[in-house]
C-alpha cells in the first residue's frame, strides 16, 4: 500500500520535472539570439565547434529528439556555460544553492522553534492578554513588507548600534575554502587558526537575514498552530479524556499535541515556496550570495543558461520539499496512511 | 524586481544613513585591508582594457612598470628600469633593468629566476608582434591601439639579460609616458612559456603573475578578489598581509559598509553622500583633481558655429560658476584651459572667457546675429566623473543662452546611438568630456583637436586647423622638455582664441577611508596603491 503511494508520488514528481524541463527547453527557442548559444552558453562559436555542437544537440532532428538530448544533458550535469562568466553553470549553482538553503533552513528552524510554542501557548491561554498580544504581534509580522522590515533592522542593528554587519555571509578577510557550501560547516572543517572568531563572525552575519526571513513563516506558524490546537481542544475525544479524569497537562500532551502538530509538517512544505521567494528579496538586500540573488542578476544580465538553471533548480527544490513533507505527513498520520 | 528593490533600498538607506553616527564593529585579528570597489574586473591583464574599474582593481597591486609617474611632481621616475637613455635621433630607447626583482610565487606558477630583459621583450611583443603565440589570445589592446603602438614601435629587443631596446619608426616624446601608464604592466615570459607548454594560453590574462606588491589568491566574480602580500617584493616590504577587493556595485550599500567599517576604503562618487561623510570625524576624504575635463564642443563646420566670434559669444554667455555649484556641487575646479592645472604643460596665463552677456551680445551682433538664432545642445545620457549631470548642465546653459537671445533645444539619445550620431557630426553642440590615460599633455590635444581625430570622430568640435596641428605635431617630435612646453603653451593660447570648445570643469575624484587607515597612495593618472597601507587597531 505505502509502496504504491510512494510510487504515485514519484510519478507526480517526474511529471512536474518533465513540465519544468519542457518549459526551460522551449525558452531556448523564445530567447533572442543564436539557438546554439542559448543552449550551450558559449559566446563565440567557431565553425568547427558549431557543427559538433549542432550534431550533439540534434538540431537537425525533430524537436522531441532535441528535447530528449536536452534532458540527457541535464541529467549528465552538462548545463551549459554561463553567459556572463563562461564557466559551467552547474558549478555556479553548486556554490550559490547551499547559501540559500542554509539561510532558508535557519529561518525555518527559527520559525518552528518560536512559532510552535507561542502558537500552543496562545491556544492554551485562549482569550487571555497573552493570546491577544501574540495575535497582534503576529498580525503585524504577517503584514510587514520584507524589504522595509529589513532596512529598518539594518538601520537599527548595523548603522545605529553597530552590532551586526550589513551584508554578506562572512567578513571578507576570513578565507574559508568551500567544501559543503554551508558556511558554518565549512568553517568547522577549515584548517584555519581563526576558527572560533570566524564562526562568531558568520553567526553575526546570519543573524539579521535569518531574523528577517523568519518573520513571515513564524507568524504563519503561530496562527496555524494556535488554530489547529484550538480545533483539537474542542474535539469530543479531548472532552472525553478530561471527563475520564486525565489531568489537563496529560490531555494536552497525549491527545492535543500530536494531533495539533500533524498538519504542521504539511504546512512547512506549503510555506517553503513563499520562503524561497522571500529569501530572494532578503538575499538582494543583504548581498547574500545565494541562488536568489544569482538568478535575479542573471535575469538582469540576460544570462539565459543561468536563468534556465535557476528556474529548474528552484522549482525542483520547492517541489521536492513539498513532496517530502507530504510523504512525511502521510507516514506520521494514520488517517492519511489509510487513505493512501 | 531588482530595479525597484535596489531603488527602494537606496532611497531608504540614504535617508536612514543621514541621521546616524554608528559605533565601530569589533575588528578582526586577521590582518588585511578591504577596498570596496564599484565593479568586477573584466580580466587580470591591464594590456587588454581601458576601464577604470579594472585598472583600479588589478594594475597597481599585481604589476610594476618600467617607469612610474611621481604623483607629486608628475615626472617620470625609475621603476623596474633603473635608468634609460634615448638616442640623439629620438628613435632608440634603451632601458637598464633592476636586479633581483622577483615574480609572484603562486599555486599555479613557481618562478625559477628573477626578472630579465626577455620578460620585457615578451610583454611588448605580445601587443606588437602578430606572430607572438599570445597575440591573438586577446582580441584587442585598446590603449595601445589608441596611441598607435603598431605604427609607432618598429621592434622591441632584449639586448642582454639586463638591457632592453625599443626602436621607434618616428620620434615621439610621449613614448615614455605611454610606458609609465598602468597599461604597460610587465608580465613574466617564463610563466607564458609554461602556459604554452600546458596549452593553457588564455590563463595568462586570468591567473595573473607579476612583480607587484600583491599576488593573486582567488577571485569570485561579483563577490571579491583576494590578494596576498608578495613577500619578496623588490621595493620596501609590503605591509598588509592581505588585500581584499570587495565588490559592491551599489553606491548606498558601499556607503553603509564604509560606515560600519566593513570596508576600509571606498570610492564615493556621489556628492550628496560625500557631504554627509564630511561631517563625521571617523572618516578621511582624499580628494584629487583628476586628469579630466568636461567641455561644451561646437560643431565648427556648421554655420553659425564656423565663426569664432559666435563661439566666443556663446562662451561669454554662460555662467560657469553657476554650473560648478549646481552640477558639480562645488567639487570641481573651473577649467581655464583644456589641460588641468596639475599638468606640467598647463598655461596659467590662459583665461577662459568670463561670464558677460553684454560682450556676448556685441560679439553676436558683430558676427551678424543681432537677434540671436536657434541651436541644439546635445547632453550625454550617462554620468561620468567629468560631467555628473549633463542634462542639468544643458538646462542651465539653455537659460543663460535665452538671456542673449539664443533659443536652445536639449537633445539626448541612448548612449550608443548618441556616440554614433556624434561621430557623424549630426550635432550643433555637445556637452561631453575627456579623461586622460597618462600624464602626457599630448593625451589632451591629439585625440581632441587634431585633423586626424576629426576624421576618426573623437574630435567632437569637428575642428581641423593646420596652424594648431603644427603646434601639437612639433611638440611630440621634440624631446626637449622646455621646447615642448612652449609649443603646448602656444597651443592653449590658440585654443582659447579659436574656442572650438569651451572647457567647463576639471572634476575631482574622491576616496574615503576610515581614520584608522594610513599610507594609501593615490595617483591622478591611475590606480590606488595599498603597499604601504596600515590599519591601526
Amino acid at each position: 500500500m505505502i509502496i504504491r503511494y510512494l510510487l504515485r508520488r514519484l510519478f507526480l514528481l517526474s511529471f512536474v520535472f518533465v513540465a519544468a524541463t519542457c518549459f526551460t527547453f522551449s525558452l531556448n527557442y523564445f530567447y533572442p539570439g543564436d539557438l546554439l548559444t542559448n543552449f550551450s552558453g558559449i559566446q563565440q562559436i567557431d565553425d568547427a565547434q558549431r557543427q559538433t555542437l549542432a550534431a550533439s544537440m540534434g538540431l537537425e532532428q525533430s524537436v522531441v529528439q532535441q528535447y530528449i538530448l536536452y534532458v540527457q544533458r541535464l541529467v549528465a550535469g552538462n548545463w551549459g556555460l554561463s553567459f556572463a562568466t563562461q564557466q559551467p553553470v552547474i558549478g555556479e549553482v553548486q556554490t550559490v544553492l547551499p547559501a540559500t538553503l542554509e539561510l532558508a533552513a535557519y529561518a525555518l528552524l527559527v520559525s518552528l522553534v518560536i512559532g510552535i510554542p507561542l502558537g500552543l501557548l496562545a491556544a492554551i491561554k485562549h482569550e487571555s492578554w497573552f493570546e491577544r498580544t501574540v495575535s497582534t504581534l503576529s498580525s503585524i509580522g504577517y503584514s510587514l513588507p520584507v524589504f522595509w522590515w529589513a532596512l529598518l533592522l539594518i538601520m537599527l542593528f548595523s548603522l545605529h548600534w553597530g552590532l551586526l554587519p550589513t551584508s554578506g555571509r562572512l567578513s571578507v578577510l576570513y578565507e574559508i575554502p568551500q567544501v559543503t557550501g554551508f558556511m558554518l560547516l565549512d568553517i568547522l572543517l577549515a584548517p584555519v587558526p581563526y576558527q572560533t572568531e570566524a564562526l562568531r563572525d558568520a553567526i553575526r552575519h546570519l543573524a539579521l537575514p535569518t531574523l528577517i526571513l523568519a518573520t513571515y513563516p513564524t507568524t504563519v506558524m503561530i496562527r496555524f498552530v494556535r488554530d489547529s490546537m484550538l480545533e483539537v481542544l474542542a474535539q469530543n475525544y479531548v472532552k472525553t479524556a478530561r471527563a475520564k479524569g486525565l489531568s489537563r497537562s496529560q490531555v494536552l500532551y497525549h491527545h492535543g499535541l500530536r494531533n495539533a502538530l500533524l498538519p504542521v509538517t504539511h504546512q512547512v512544505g506549503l510555506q517553503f515556496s513563499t520562503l524561497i521567494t522571500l529569501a530572494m528579496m532578503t538575499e538582494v538586500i543583504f548581498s547574500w550570495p545565494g541562488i536568489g540573488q544569482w538568478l535575479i542578476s542573471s535575469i538582469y544580465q540576460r544570462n539565459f543558461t543561468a536563468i534556465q538553471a535557476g528556474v529548474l533548480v528552484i522549482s525542483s527544490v520547492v517541489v521536492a520539499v513539498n513532496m517530502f513533507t507530504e510523504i512525511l505527513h502521510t507516514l506520521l498520520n494514520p488517517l492519511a496512511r489509510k487513505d493512501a | 524586481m531588482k530595479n525597484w528593490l535596489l531603488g527602494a533600498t537606496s532611497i531608504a538607506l540614504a535617508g536612514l544613513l543621514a541621521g546616524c553616527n554608528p559605533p565601530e564593529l569589533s575588528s578582526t585579528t586577521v590582518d588585511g585591508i578591504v577596498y570596496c570597489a564599484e565593479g568586477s574586473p573584466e580580466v587580470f591583464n591591464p594590456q587588454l582594457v581601458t576601464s577604470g574599474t579594472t585598472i583600479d582593481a588589478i594594475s597597481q597591486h599585481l604589476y610594476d612598470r618600467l617607469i612610474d609617474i611621481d604623483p607629486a611632481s608628475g615626472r617620470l621616475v625609475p621603476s623596474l628600469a633603473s635608468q634609460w637613455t634615448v638616442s640623439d635621433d629620438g628613435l632608440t630607447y634603451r632601458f637598464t633593468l633592476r636586479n633581483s626583482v622577483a615574480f609572484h610565487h603562486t599555486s599555479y606558477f613557481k618562478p625559477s629566476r628573477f626578472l630579465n630583459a626577455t620578460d620585457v621583450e615578451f610583454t611588448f611583443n605580445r601587443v606588437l608582434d602578430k606572430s607572438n603565440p599570445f597575440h591573438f589570445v586577446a582580441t584587442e589592446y585598446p590603449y595601445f591601439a589608441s596611441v598607435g603602438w603598431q605604427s609607432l614601435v618598429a621592434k622591441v629587443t632584449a639586448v642582454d639579460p639586463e638591457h632592453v631596446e625599443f626602436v621607434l619608426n618616428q620620434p615621439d616624446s610621449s613614448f615614455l609616458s605611454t610606458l609609465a601608464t598602468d597599461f604597460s604592466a610587465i608580465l613574466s615570459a617564463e610563466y607564458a612559456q609554461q602556459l604554452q607548454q600546458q596549452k593553457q594560453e588564455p590563463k595568462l590574462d586570468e591567473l595573473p603573475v607579476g612583480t607587484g606588491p600583491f599576488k593573486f589568491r582567488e577571485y569570485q566574480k561579483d563577490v571579491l578578489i583576494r590578494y596576498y602580500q608578495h613577500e619578496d617584493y623588490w621595493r620596501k616590504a609590503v605591509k598588509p598581509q592581505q588585500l581584499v577587493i570587495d565588490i559592491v556595485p551599489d553606491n548606498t550599500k558601499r556607503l553603509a559598509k564604509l560606515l560600519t567599517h566593513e570596508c576600509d576604503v571606498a570610492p564615493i562618487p556621489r556628492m550628496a553622500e560625500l557631504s554627509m561623510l564630511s561631517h563625521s570625524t571617523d572618516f578621511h576624504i582624499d580628494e584629487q583633481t583628476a586628469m579630466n575635463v568636461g567641455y561644451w564642443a561646437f560643431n565648427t563646420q556648421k554655420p553659425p558655429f564656423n565663426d569664432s566670434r559666435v563661439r566666443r559669444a556663446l562662451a561669454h554667455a554662460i555662467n560657469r560658476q553657476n554650473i560648478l555649484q549646481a552640477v558639480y556641487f562645488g567639487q570641481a575646479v573651473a577649467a581655464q584651459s583644456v589641460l588641468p592645472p596639475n599638468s606640467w604643460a598647463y598655461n596659467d596665463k590662459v583665461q577662459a572667457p568670463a561670464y558677460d552677456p553684454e560682450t556676448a551680445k556685441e560679439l553676436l551682433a558683430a558676427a551678424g546675429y543681432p537677434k540671436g538664432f536657434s541651436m541644439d545642445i546635445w547632453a550625454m545620457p550617462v554620468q561620468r566623473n567629468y560631467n555628473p549631470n549633463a542634462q542639468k548642465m544643458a538646462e542651465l546653459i539653455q537659460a543663460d543662452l535665452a538671456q542673449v537671445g539664443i533659443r536652445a533645444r536639449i537633445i539626448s539619445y541612448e548612449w550608443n546611438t548618441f556616440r554614433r550620431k556624434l561621430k557623424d557630426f549630426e550635432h550643433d553642440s555637445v556637452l561631453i568630456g575627456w579623461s586622460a590615460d597618462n600624464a602626457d599633455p599630448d593625451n589632451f590635444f591629439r585625440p581632441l583637436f587634431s585633423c586626424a581625430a576629426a576624421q576618426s570622430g573623437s574630435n567632437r568640435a569637428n575642428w581641423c586647423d593646420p596652424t594648431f596641428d603644427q603646434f601639437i605635431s612639433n611638440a611630440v617630435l621634440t624631446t626637449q622638455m622646455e621646447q615642448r612646453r612652449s609649443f603646448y603653451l602656444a597651443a592653449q593660447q590658440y585654443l582659447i582664441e579659436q574656442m572650438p570648445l569651451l572647457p567647463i570643469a576639471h572634476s575631482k575624484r574622491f576616496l574615503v577611508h576610515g581614520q584608522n587607515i594610513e599610507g594609501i597612495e593615490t595617483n591622478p593618472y591611475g590606480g590606488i596603491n595599498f603597499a604601504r597601507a596600515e590599519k591601526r587597531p
Side-chain angles (χ1 to χ4, degrees):
Chain A
M1 185 92 105
I2 206 77
I3 302 277
R4 247 181 72 196
Y5 167 75
L6 286 180
L7 280 178
R8 221 161 58 213
R9 293 282 115 184
L10 215 59
F11 178 72
L12 199 65
L13 188 69
S14 57
F15 179 75
V16 172
F17 178 74
V18 169
T21 46
C22 267
F23 173 67
T24 53
F25 171 76
S26 58
L27 278 181
N28 287 295
Y29 282 90
F30 296 134
Y31 291 141
D34 186 22
L35 188 63
L36 269 182
T37 306
N38 290 347
F39 269 126
S40 65
I42 303 170
Q43 291 296 306
Q44 268 140 7
I45 306 177
D46 56 43
D47 287 341
Q49 224 178 351
R50 183 169 287 279
Q51 277 177 3
T52 41
L53 271 178
S56 76
M57 292 175 183
L59 288 195
E60 276 100 53
Q61 303 169 44
S62 70
V63 176
V64 179
Q65 201 66 38
Q66 285 177 38
Y67 171 72
I68 291 170
L69 286 169
Y70 173 75
V71 174
Q72 278 174 356
R73 283 200 305 280
L74 284 184
V75 172
N78 176 10
W79 296 8
L81 302 180
S82 155
F83 277 33
T85 57
Q86 293 292 290
Q87 300 295 319
V89 169
I90 192 164
E92 294 193 359
V93 170
Q94 279 164 356
T95 24
V96 293
L97 186 62
T100 305
L101 292 182
E102 189 176 35
L103 184 60
Y106 291 131
L108 206 59
L109 197 69
V110 168
S111 76
L112 294 178
V113 167
I114 298 179
I116 293 177
L118 279 184
L120 288 176
L121 279 176
I124 294 164
K125 297 182 189 296
H126 189 45
E127 287 178 3
S128 68
W129 63 269
F130 178 81
E131 195 209 2
R132 276 192 287 277
T133 319
V134 169
S135 298
T136 315
L137 283 182
S138 71
S139 292
I140 294 174
Y142 186 74
S143 41
L144 275 180
V146 66
F147 52 90
W148 181 82
W149 178 225
L151 289 176
L152 197 72
L153 291 193
I154 289 181
M155 189 196 92
L156 282 177
F157 284 96
S158 306
L159 299 174
H160 202 73
W161 295 327
L163 295 173
L164 299 169
T166 58
S167 61
R169 294 177 85 186
L170 187 69
S171 164
V172 288
L173 287 174
Y174 298 114
E175 192 182 355
I176 304 294
Q178 181 170 0
V179 184
T180 59
F182 295 92
M183 188 53 87
L184 298 186
L185 215 54
D186 278 353
I187 292 175
L188 291 174
L189 291 174
V192 287
Y194 41 74
Q195 225 172 33
T196 27
E197 206 184 317
L199 207 57
R200 207 178 305 133
D201 189 69
I203 291 171
R204 284 178 50 234
H205 276 85
L206 259 172
L208 269 187
T210 308
L211 185 64
I212 280 151
L213 191 53
T215 306
Y216 180 84
T218 306
T219 56
V220 172
M221 207 51 79
I222 291 175
R223 291 148 68 107
F224 187 82
V225 170
R226 191 200 59 171
D227 292 350
S228 149
M229 192 67 182
L230 281 178
E231 203 176 302
V232 169
L233 290 180
Q235 294 290 326
N236 284 336
Y237 61 81
V238 172
K239 288 180 190 157
T240 314
R242 282 287 278 167
K244 277 184 165 177
L246 284 181
S247 76
R248 192 173 152 82
S249 58
Q250 273 174 321
V251 173
L252 273 180
Y253 188 75
H254 291 293
H255 300 276
L257 217 53
R258 180 153 182 194
N259 288 313
L261 288 188
L262 252 181
V264 171
T265 40
H266 204 193
Q267 191 63 17
V268 168
L270 292 179
Q271 286 305 314
F272 195 74
S273 64
T274 322
L275 195 69
I276 290 289
T277 315
L278 292 177
M280 285 190 183
M281 286 198 202
T282 314
E283 282 173 12
V284 171
I285 293 168
F286 286 94
S287 308
W288 191 266
I291 197 163
Q293 205 199 15
W294 180 75
L295 182 63
I296 289 172
S297 70
S298 300
I299 292 170
Y300 210 52
Q301 296 165 353
R302 309 282 183 273
N303 188 343
F304 297 139
T305 37
I307 296 174
Q308 281 179 53
V311 167
L312 265 182
V313 168
I314 290 177
S315 56
S316 313
V317 168
V318 168
V319 171
V321 169
N322 257 320
M323 203 65 62
F324 174 74
T325 52
E326 204 171 301
I327 291 172
L328 200 67
H329 180 243
T330 314
L331 292 181
L332 292 176
N333 186 354
L335 278 176
R337 226 166 31 222
K338 199 167 142 245
D339 285 346
Chain B
M1 173 147 88
K2 187 170 184 178
N3 260 337
W4 67 258
L5 209 57
L6 276 185
T9 314
S10 304
I11 293 166
L13 261 187
L16 299 174
L17 289 172
C20 303
N21 204 354
E24 211 168 309
L25 291 173
S26 64
S27 56
T28 63
T29 53
V30 185
D31 180 41
I33 298 279
V34 180
Y35 171 68
C36 286
E38 67 276 23
S40 295
E42 300 145 53
V43 287
F44 282 88
N45 181 353
Q47 288 178 328
L48 313 186
V49 288
T50 53
S51 102
T53 308
T54 307
I55 292 298
D56 275 355
I58 63 173
S59 201
Q60 291 280 331
H61 317 313
L62 292 170
Y63 298 99
D64 285 304
R65 295 134 295 278
L66 284 179
I67 35 189
D68 274 340
I69 304 169
D70 177 34
S73 64
R75 300 204 177 264
L76 299 173
V77 290
S79 180
L80 290 181
S82 54
Q83 51 180 304
W84 59 92
T85 55
V86 187
S87 67
D88 291 337
D89 59 6
L91 290 178
T92 309
Y93 287 72
R94 191 184 173 96
F95 293 87
T96 309
L97 299 181
R98 208 171 282 277
N99 291 320
S100 319
V101 174
F103 278 104
H104 298 155
H105 197 285
T106 63
S107 56
Y108 46 87
F109 175 64
K110 316 261 178 283
S112 68
R113 58 167 176 80
F114 288 128
L115 168 97
N116 69 29
T118 52
D119 296 311
V120 182
E121 186 189 44
F122 164 75
T123 300
F124 292 101
N125 271 337
R126 181 198 176 178
V127 180
L128 189 65
D129 182 4
K130 292 201 168 71
S131 65
N132 185 294
F134 286 86
H135 182 80
F136 288 106
V137 170
T139 44
E140 55 172 1
Y141 302 88
Y143 177 73
F144 293 94
S146 79
V147 295
W149 186 262
Q150 295 286 357
S151 57
L152 177 66
V153 181
K155 63 174 196 251
V156 184
T157 26
V159 184
D160 58 59
E162 269 176 54
H163 295 91
V164 70
E165 209 170 73
F166 290 74
V167 180
L168 308 189
N169 288 320
Q170 75 263 357
D172 184 331
S173 50
S174 67
F175 178 68
L176 285 175
S177 295
T178 303
L179 291 186
T181 58
D182 284 336
F183 309 103
S184 306
I186 302 301
L187 314 176
S188 163
E190 192 190 357
Y191 178 48
Q193 210 173 11
Q194 176 192 317
L195 289 177
Q196 216 183 336
Q197 279 161 6
Q198 298 166 349
K199 302 235 181 296
Q200 298 261 324
E201 282 89 346
K203 288 264 185 299
L204 184 70
D205 306 321
E206 290 160 16
L207 293 175
V209 169
T211 58
F214 294 95
K215 59 186 184 184
F216 181 83
R217 172 71 188 174
E218 65 165 329
Y219 171 47
Q220 300 168 24
K221 191 176 186 295
D222 296 334
V223 181
L224 60 81
I225 313 168
R226 190 185 307 280
Y227 296 136
Y228 274 7
Q229 174 190 68
H230 178 195
E231 305 87 351
D232 309 318
Y233 188 46
W234 60 275
R235 276 189 240 248
K236 274 187 263 171
V238 181
K239 285 192 173 154
Q241 295 283 334
Q242 274 196 73
L243 170 64
V244 180
I245 299 183
D246 191 359
I247 298 160
V248 189
D250 184 62
N251 274 333
T252 318
K253 272 190 193 161
R254 206 157 58 237
L255 184 65
K257 283 190 137 188
L258 200 62
L259 285 172
T260 56
H261 294 268
E262 287 166 81
C263 298
D264 295 319
V265 189
I268 299 285
R270 283 233 293 264
M271 307 296 174
E273 290 159 357
L274 276 173
S275 66
M276 193 200 109
L277 282 173
S278 64
H279 299 310
S280 164
T281 50
D282 231 10
F283 298 96
H284 181 84
I285 302 177
D286 260 340
E287 63 166 68
Q288 211 166 44
T289 311
M291 291 295 274
N292 65 24
V293 60
Y295 59 77
W296 184 27
F298 310 109
N299 186 345
T300 56
Q301 300 297 319
K302 261 193 192 173
F305 310 102
N306 52 358
D307 188 332
S308 70
R309 284 173 300 185
V310 172
R311 301 196 297 258
R312 287 187 62 82
L314 291 170
H316 276 298
I318 303 307
N319 186 345
R320 291 193 304 156
Q321 218 47 50
N322 205 356
I323 292 177
L324 286 183
Q325 281 307 320
V327 178
Y328 297 89
F329 295 97
Q331 311 286 13
V333 263
Q336 304 300 341
S337 159
V338 277
L339 274 188
N342 48 354
S343 166
W344 56 263
Y346 178 66
N347 187 343
D348 55 9
K349 301 210 171 47
V350 163
Q351 282 288 326
Y355 174 52
D356 187 354
E358 289 311 312
T359 316
K361 281 183 193 160
E362 283 164 25
L363 279 166
L364 281 177
Y369 298 95
K371 291 202 177 129
F373 51 84
S374 297
M375 66 178 288
D376 291 343
I377 302 172
W378 287 33
M380 62 173 196
V382 293
Q383 287 184 13
R384 283 282 185 276
N385 227 347
Y386 50 69
N387 191 340
N389 191 344
Q391 187 68 28
K392 187 163 189 183
M393 194 187 277
E395 284 162 16
L396 293 171
I397 290 179
Q398 189 181 35
D400 284 338
L401 290 178
Q403 300 292 316
V404 297
I406 295 172
R407 296 163 300 281
R409 214 158 55 110
I410 300 169
I411 288 183
S412 195
Y413 297 98
E414 177 275 324
W415 186 222
N416 281 325
T417 322
F418 191 84
R419 282 182 297 178
R420 197 188 65 237
K421 284 175 175 282
L422 269 188
K423 221 171 168 177
D424 297 337
F425 299 112
E426 291 179 26
H427 58 291
D428 286 345
S429 73
V430 59
L431 289 169
I432 198 165
W434 178 259
S435 282
D437 315 298
N438 63 37
D440 201 278
D442 179 60
N443 199 272
F444 275 90
F445 292 110
R446 268 198 293 183
L448 289 186
F449 299 105
S450 67
C451 293
Q455 288 204 333
S456 74
S458 71
N459 180 340
R460 306 295 187 200
N462 200 4
W463 190 61
C464 178
D465 186 317
T467 324
F468 183 81
D469 256 30
Q470 199 62 49
F471 283 135
I472 51 175
S473 39
N474 283 343
V476 286
L477 287 174
T478 169
T479 47
Q480 293 288 312
M481 200 73 160
E482 272 317 300
Q483 211 177 354
R484 267 192 90 187
R485 190 157 176 266
S486 67
F487 279 122
Y488 286 132
L489 295 187
Q492 288 169 74
Q493 184 61 42
Y494 190 71
L495 274 180
I496 277 303
E497 284 161 17
Q498 293 295 319
M499 196 63 64
L501 56 78
L502 171 69
I504 293 173
H506 308 293
S507 76
K508 293 174 188 172
R509 175 165 107 167
F510 298 92
L511 197 69
V512 183
H513 59 83
Q515 288 288 11
N516 58 337
I517 312 287
E518 278 170 357
I520 297 166
E521 287 167 27
T522 49
N523 189 319
Y525 318 106
I528 309 146
N529 193 328
F530 289 103
R532 318 283 312 141
E534 239 179 319
K535 198 191 294 192
R536 274 200 315 269

